[in-house]
Amino acid sequence: MDPAQTAPRVLVVGCGGIGGVLLSRLLEAGQRVAAVARREEIARVLQTRGPVLRDEKGERTVRGDLEVFVQPPREGVYDFILLATPPNGVEAAARDTAHLLAPEGAMVVFQNGLCEDLVARVVGETKVIGAIVAWGASSPETGVYERTSSGGIMLGTLSGTQDPRLARLAEVLRAVCPITFTENLLGARWSKLAINCAISTLGTVGGSRVGPLLRHRFIRRLAMEIFTEVFQVARAEGVKLEKVASTVDLEWLTLKESEQRARGSLSLVVRHAMLLAIGARYRRLRSSMLAAIERGREPPVDFLNGEVVQRGKAHGIPAPVNERLLEAVHAMSRRELAPGVETLRRIHEQTRPR
């Protein structure tokens, strides 16, 4: 039998940075891919020229068997539907493509935040696979995709049970990057949430790439306070944080109660050094939320820092740094606040313990 006829049928929904890198690498591996681009301009460029990919191998135009839709087709059957829209569009994307999912297929959630539950509302928990992406990507031009940092993808299910579809999906995605598995998807998701609440949101409000921002000591301190608030809320939710790929143990980066008001200690010095190293590793990473604001789109901050603030209130746990950052991103979206280091400095000053 022709291998092309037995290979999983894949539909990528969302052709921004993450979705564009996914479909480009899958095409390069000779896989047949379909995609929903939503915008006619993107669909036209992808269909006529093909995606342009920039990564560690350089820049090239990728050719392959790519079918692009502006709206999900009425008919079709796909084994894996890769949801790569912004978080605020994931539930609609699941609804719009649910009729295309094969009986034994699965929707794969690539969004940051805690989006698996949203997709499960549409197709049921057993048809959802979480995919935690440990690398960054952007789309600086229409149909051009840049991978901005290295890393792999971690796969898991909400139930934590062994699922034969995980191995099949992994065979597909190994064309993109290394694949690992987790039996604690929620724990890994919360760890990634903490990273996004710190790195992505600080990059948005700071209006710069991660590396330069983390050279400022007070911004590194803000990052540790964000990690601390996320950890406290996750613990109240009964979630045990799990390392994502090769990242540091985030619980180690949280502040102990005695350190909340401390000006310095040996352990704090070590953690500052670790954050400097993280900044160096992800120095090219630019927040997708900042790009969304610049393009006049709604930033998905409610699915990141907003999630922590909302769940914290339900448990009576204050999250003042996350709350101020949430407010700042919305103010930036309304063009009421300018991004920059000084904006972060004011948030730092406003959230000092009294």
Side-chain angles (χ1 to χ4, degrees), residues 168-280:
R168 196 172 185 218
L169 176 61
E171 286 303 308
V172 173
L173 294 179
R174 283 195 179 100
V176 180
C177 61
I179 303 298
T180 57
F181 302 95
T182 178
E183 295 181 356
N184 180 18
L185 178 63
L186 269 180
R189 266 291 178 221
W190 273 87
S191 289
K192 183 68 189 301
L193 177 66
I195 293 170
N196 289 122
C197 285
I199 304 302
S200 181
T201 307
L202 289 175
T204 300
V205 179
S208 180
R209 296 184 185 273
V210 171
L213 287 175
L214 286 179
R215 292 176 193 152
H216 295 271
R217 189 183 189 283
F218 80 91
I219 294 179
R220 298 195 299 273
R221 175 74 183 204
L222 280 175
M224 283 187 271
E225 289 168 350
I226 292 167
F227 291 142
T228 303
E229 292 177 1
V230 176
F231 174 73
Q232 290 172 343
V233 176
R235 185 169 55 187
E237 292 266 308
V239 175
K240 179 176 173 53
L241 296 187
E242 180 173 320
K243 286 180 64 174
V244 178
S246 60
T247 55
V248 68
D249 182 352
L250 292 178
E251 185 175 350
W252 179 76
L253 283 172
T254 62
L255 298 170
K256 308 300 182 286
E257 187 174 348
S258 62
E259 296 171 326
Q260 297 286 333
R261 301 173 187 273
R263 295 186 61 84
S265 68
L266 179 58
S267 63
L268 282 174
V269 170
V270 175
R271 278 176 274 178
H272 275 282
M274 178 60 71
L275 285 171
L276 275 172
I278 291 173

Side-chain angles (χ1 to χ4, degrees), residues 41-354:
E41 180 187 9
I42 298 176
R44 183 172 60 253
V45 169
L46 292 177
Q47 198 74 75
T48 56
R49 183 202 64 196
V52 171
L53 179 62
R54 298 171 183 165
D55 58 13
E56 69 281 359
K57 298 179 182 179
E59 179 178 319
R60 67 271 190 201
T61 300
V62 180
R63 311 292 183 185
D65 190 355
L66 175 64
E67 186 176 18
V68 186
F69 306 98
V70 176
Q71 296 293 334
R74 293 185 177 181
E75 298 180 349
V77 180
Y78 297 94
D79 298 292
F80 295 112
I81 297 179
L82 312 186
L83 300 175
T85 65
N88 47 12
V90 66
E91 197 168 359
R95 283 197 304 269
D96 293 346
T97 57
H99 64 286
L100 301 172
L101 190 62
E104 300 301 320
M107 288 195 168
V108 189
V109 180
F110 284 85
Q111 286 76 9
N112 291 321
L114 308 174
C115 293
E116 280 82 7
D117 284 341
L118 300 177
V119 178
R121 293 177 192 172
V122 179
V123 296
E125 182 178 307
T126 60
K127 291 185 177 295
V128 176
I129 293 176
I132 302 174
V133 181
W135 42 268
S138 66
S139 178
E141 305 169 42
T142 301
V144 177
Y145 304 106
E146 181 176 1
R147 183 164 164 173
T148 56
S149 61
S150 61
I153 292 175
M154 180 179 284
L155 301 177
T157 61
L158 287 168
S159 65
T161 57
Q162 295 293 329
D163 188 315
R165 290 172 299 186
L166 290 174
R168 196 172 185 218
L169 176 61
E171 286 303 308
V172 173
L173 294 179
R174 283 195 179 100
V176 180
C177 61
I179 303 298
T180 57
F181 302 95
T182 178
E183 295 181 356
N184 180 18
L185 178 63
L186 269 180
R189 266 291 178 221
W190 273 87
S191 289
K192 183 68 189 301
L193 177 66
I195 293 170
N196 289 122
C197 285
I199 304 302
S200 181
T201 307
L202 289 175
T204 300
V205 179
S208 180
R209 296 184 185 273
V210 171
L213 287 175
L214 286 179
R215 292 176 193 152
H216 295 271
R217 189 183 189 283
F218 80 91
I219 294 179
R220 298 195 299 273
R221 175 74 183 204
L222 280 175
M224 283 187 271
E225 289 168 350
I226 292 167
F227 291 142
T228 303
E229 292 177 1
V230 176
F231 174 73
Q232 290 172 343
V233 176
R235 185 169 55 187
E237 292 266 308
V239 175
K240 179 176 173 53
L241 296 187
E242 180 173 320
K243 286 180 64 174
V244 178
S246 60
T247 55
V248 68
D249 182 352
L250 292 178
E251 185 175 350
W252 179 76
L253 283 172
T254 62
L255 298 170
K256 308 300 182 286
E257 187 174 348
S258 62
E259 296 171 326
Q260 297 286 333
R261 301 173 187 273
R263 295 186 61 84
S265 68
L266 179 58
S267 63
L268 282 174
V269 170
V270 175
R271 278 176 274 178
H272 275 282
M274 178 60 71
L275 285 171
L276 275 172
I278 291 173
R281 178 180 177 184
Y282 296 102
R283 59 190 177 277
R284 295 173 54 217
L285 193 64
R286 191 171 189 270
S287 172
S288 59
M289 283 202 298
L290 182 59
I293 290 173
E294 291 170 345
R295 295 172 182 176
R297 299 174 189 165
E298 183 69 21
V301 69
D302 289 330
F303 293 82
L304 302 177
N305 307 77
E307 193 83 63
V308 177
V309 172
Q310 179 184 359
R311 292 178 185 242
K313 287 180 178 177
H315 293 286
I317 300 173
V321 178
N322 280 282
E323 190 163 11
R324 286 300 178 108
L325 289 169
L326 173 68
E327 294 167 355
V329 172
H330 281 306
M332 288 171 56
S333 179
R334 298 190 299 266
R335 301 295 190 267
E336 298 172 359
L337 183 67
V341 171
E342 290 308 309
T343 301
L344 286 176
R345 193 183 301 277
R346 285 194 297 273
I347 292 174
H348 176 259
E349 292 169 353
Q350 292 164 356
T351 54
R352 294 311 83 210
R354 300 298 181 187

